[in-house]
Amino acid sequence: MDRSSGILLPVSALPGPCGIGDLGKDARDFIDFLAAAGQRYWQILPLNPPDGAHSPYLSASTFAGSTDLLSPEPFVARGALTLDEVRAIDWGSDAMRVDYDRVHAGRTALWDVAFARERDAVVPALRTALAAEPWLRDYCLYMALKEEQGGAPWYAWPQPLRDRDAAARAEALARLDDRVLLHAYLQTEFTRQWDAVRAYAHAHGVRIIGDLPMYVAPDSADVWAQPAQFCLDPDGQPSAAAGVPPDYFSADGQLWGNPLYDWEKMEQTDFAWWRSRMKASAKLYDAVRIDHFIGVVQYYAIPYGAVTAKDGEWEKGPGKKLTDALDEAAGETKIIAEDLGVFCQEVKDLLAETGYPGMKIIEFAFSGDRFNEHLPHCYDPNSVVYGGTHDNETLAGDFKPEKRQWWELQYIADYLGAAHQSEVVDRVFRAAYGSVASVAIFQMQDVLKLDNWARMNTPGTLGENWRWRLLPGQFTDERADYLSWLVDTFGRF
C-alpha cells in the first residue's frame, strides 16, 4: 500500500439525529473531513447486522448489511417516508451513546411503512435479485423464519426447517413470501446507499478499509445454509468452538463460541465459500482487514462445553492454499492481515510470501525490550501502524501514568521526546506518521484525545461496548489542520 494515513471510525459512531450513525449526510460530512485532513483511508468495522450484544463480529450473516445503518434520507427523497414520520420516532436523548434496542425498533417501524408503499413497484426486481444471489435468498428466508420462530436460533427450529428439508423450505418460502421480500428490499437498499457513500468517498480521494471477521456466528444464515462447511454435531451445535488462549486481554483466554471450519471439506470445493465471501467484500471495500489472521495458519480449538478457553489446543489451518483463493477472489482489493496476539513464525512466513501488510500497535510498544516489533524503529515498510484498535484503550487512557510501570514511563518519555504527560498523544501521532510503515491509522477518539469513556470495545465484557458516538461538530477544522500538517510533514500524501 502507498504511503498514506487514515482514521478508524465505525459507521455506527457517526453523529446524526436518528440514534445511530448511518449512511446519510453525516457519512458524507465525515468524508469531507477526511479529505480536508489529507487522509487517504476511512477504516470501518464490519457493516453486518450485530448480534444481541451489539457486536458486528457476531452477525446473522457475513454477507448482509445492517439495516440499522440505513439512512431515512433516500426514503424521504423518493416519497417512501415523510420527514414527519421520521421525526415522530423517539430516538433517545443521549447523542454520545447508541441505544440499539430503541434504534432497531424505530427503524424497523419505518422500513415496514416504506416497503408497504413501494412494494408493488419493487417486487419484480426483488424476485430477480433473490433468484440471482444464493446468499440473499438464504439470508432473507432465514430472517423470515427466525421472526416466525420468535427469535429462536436455527438449531432450535422444527427439524425439517433446521435441516433445510427441500419441501419444508419451499413451503416456508411461499408462506413467508412477504417477509422474505421485505428483507430483500432492505438489503437492496443497503447496497444502494453504501454504493453512494463509497462513490462519494472516491470522488474526494478517500478509500474504504473494511473488516472481515475470521469466524461467523453459530446462529447465522451462513451456518444454517451451509452446515457442511463447519464442524457441527448432528443437532447443529459446534463440535468445537473458536477462541484464543490466555493473553494480554484475558487470563482465561477468550471463548468466542463460533463454530470452526471444516477445512478439509472447504479445500475439496477449492474454498468456494471463502471465495464468495471475499468477492462480496471486494464489492464493498478498497482494502479488507482479515481479523484474527492467525486462524489461516493455525486455529485454537476449544472442546464443546468448556467454560473457559484454557483447555483448547492449536490445530493446523489451510495456510497458503486459502490465501491463494482469497487473492484470486479479491482482484484489485488490498488485503491487510491482523497478525496480533500469539507470536507465530508461520504467520510471519505467510505474510512474507503473500505480501500482505501486517499490523503494528504503538500501545503495545513500550512494555518489552528495545526490539519490540511494535516500536516504530523496528517496523517493516510493508505494515500498517495503529495507535490502538477498537479493542484497545484510547491513547489518553492507555498512557496514563497510573497504568504504566515507572520504567515504561521513563522509556516512553525518552523514546517519544515527551517532556510532559499532556504531550504523549501528539508524540504518538508523530512517531506513527514519521515511521516507515506504509499506512498510519488512528481511531477518531485518539484524534480528539478522548479518555477511556469513549472506548469502543473491551474484549470479554458485555454492556457498554460498541455504543460510543461522535457529537456533531467534533471533527473540527483545527483537528483537520493538525492531521493535514502531519501528512505534509511526513510525506503521507
Side-chain angles (χ1 to χ4, degrees):
M1 299 174 73
D2 294 336
R3 187 169 175 82
S4 54
S5 60
I7 293 178
L8 168 58
L9 181 74
V11 172
S12 63
L14 290 166
C18 296
I20 191 172
D22 62 35
L23 303 179
K25 178 181 181 299
D26 290 283
R28 298 189 296 273
D29 288 347
F30 185 66
I31 291 167
D32 290 341
F33 169 78
L34 290 169
Q39 302 300 297
R40 191 95 61 84
Y41 288 107
W42 178 12
Q43 181 166 339
I44 60 174
L45 300 186
L47 292 169
N48 313 115
D51 71 348
H54 321 307
S55 170
Y57 290 88
L58 280 174
S59 175
S61 170
T62 190
F63 296 95
S66 171
T67 57
D68 290 342
L69 300 180
L70 289 175
S71 169
E73 292 174 23
F75 293 93
V76 173
R78 61 179 188 259
L81 294 171
T82 68
L83 273 177
D84 286 343
E85 287 170 331
V86 175
R87 290 168 177 165
I89 302 291
D90 179 6
W91 299 111
S93 59
D94 187 353
M96 298 170 63
R97 287 284 187 274
V98 179
D99 183 337
Y100 281 94
D101 292 339
R102 187 188 298 269
V103 163
H104 185 70
R107 275 172 160 74
T108 297
L110 289 179
W111 307 155
D112 285 347
V113 171
F115 177 61
R117 288 180 181 148
E118 296 196 299
R119 186 187 189 286
D120 292 343
V122 300
V123 161
L126 295 179
R127 295 201 187 283
T128 299
L130 286 165
E133 289 281 5
W135 80 261
L136 182 65
R137 188 168 57 253
D138 288 330
Y139 172 71
C140 294
L141 178 57
Y142 164 87
M143 290 300 293
L145 283 167
K146 194 170 181 65
E147 292 167 352
E148 183 185 57
Q149 297 295 320
W154 67 266
Y155 39 81
W157 296 350
Q159 186 172 350
L161 293 174
R162 183 195 73 186
D163 295 341
R164 290 176 57 83
D165 174 78
R169 197 164 71 250
E171 193 276 331
L173 277 168
R175 183 178 73 253
L176 301 172
D177 182 61
D178 205 56
R179 298 304 295 176
V180 169
L181 288 170
L182 167 66
H183 289 291
Y185 167 76
L186 295 177
Q187 289 305 309
T188 300
E189 179 67 21
F190 186 92
T191 298
R192 183 185 298 116
Q193 290 196 18
W194 178 251
D195 286 349
V197 168
R198 190 179 176 198
Y200 188 87
H202 286 183
H204 289 76
V206 174
R207 298 295 182 264
I208 308 292
I209 301 176
D211 206 323
L212 190 68
M214 171 55 63
Y215 296 110
V216 299
D219 182 20
S220 65
D222 310 297
V223 182
W224 175 67
Q226 299 198 48
Q229 305 291 330
F230 304 89
C231 297
L232 306 175
D233 67 19
D235 294 326
Q237 295 291 329
S239 55
V244 291
D247 61 7
Y248 170 85
F249 292 114
S250 173
D252 289 332
Q254 296 178 48
L255 175 56
W256 297 333
N258 312 73
L260 299 170
Y261 298 111
D262 189 328
W263 288 118
E264 184 176 340
K265 289 182 180 177
M266 284 190 159
E267 186 176 349
Q268 292 170 1
T269 65
D270 196 20
F271 303 102
W273 184 85
W274 271 95
R275 287 176 182 271
S276 296
R277 195 181 186 203
M278 182 55 74
K279 285 180 180 178
S281 294
K283 291 179 181 178
L284 299 174
Y285 313 122
D286 302 292
V288 176
R289 188 195 83 129
I290 300 179
D291 191 48
H292 194 63
F293 184 79
I294 191 175
V296 174
V297 173
Q298 62 179 32
Y299 58 93
Y300 196 63
I302 304 167
Y304 177 73
V307 178
T308 74
K310 290 181 176 180
D311 296 328
E313 294 183 353
W314 288 105
E315 304 285 350
K316 186 174 178 59
K320 195 167 185 298
K321 294 176 182 177
L322 177 59
T323 59
D324 285 346
L326 295 179
D327 287 340
E328 291 180 12
E332 296 300 312
T333 299
K334 306 287 187 183
I335 294 176
I336 300 168
E338 187 272 282
D339 58 337
L340 307 173
V342 177
F343 176 82
C344 177
Q345 186 59 48
E346 290 85 351
V347 169
K348 302 300 182 185
D349 294 342
L350 184 57
L351 293 188
E353 196 169 359
T354 60
Y356 298 165
M359 290 175 53
K360 309 298 179 188
I361 308 294
I362 292 186
E363 286 189 6
F364 297 167
F366 301 103
S367 57
D369 60 26
R370 294 332 188 228
F371 300 99
N372 183 325
E373 67 174 348
H374 296 285
L375 285 165
H377 70 267
C378 296
Y379 294 170
D380 183 285
N382 189 32
S383 59
V384 181
V385 55
Y386 295 76
T389 74
H390 64 278
D391 281 335
N392 301 130
E393 297 181 74
T394 65
L395 290 178
D398 183 67
F399 283 97
K400 284 182 176 178
E402 59 266 30
K403 305 294 276 296
R404 299 278 184 164
Q405 300 291 327
W406 69 266
W407 52 268
E408 287 183 277
L409 295 173
Q410 184 61 57
Y411 188 41
I412 289 166
D414 292 343
Y415 193 96
L416 297 176
H420 189 272
Q421 178 65 23
S422 62
E423 299 177 3
V424 169
V425 172
D426 283 336
R427 292 288 179 168
V428 169
F429 271 78
R430 288 177 63 96
Y433 272 70
S435 74
V436 298
S438 298
V439 184
I441 303 283
F442 281 87
Q443 295 191 90
M444 191 62 188
Q445 295 97 311
D446 294 329
V447 173
L448 300 175
K449 302 182 182 180
L450 302 181
D451 210 332
N452 277 336
W453 62 265
R455 182 173 182 167
M456 185 54 65
N457 180 50
T458 303
T461 69
L462 298 174
E464 289 303 306
N465 294 332
W466 318 109
R467 294 181 182 273
W468 175 78
R469 293 180 70 198
L470 272 169
L471 292 174
Q474 270 190 302
F475 38 92
T476 62
D477 291 344
E478 184 270 332
R479 298 315 291 163
D481 290 344
Y482 174 67
L483 293 175
S484 182
W485 174 79
L486 287 172
V487 166
D488 179 67
T489 300
F490 296 107
R492 294 190 174 275
F493 306 110

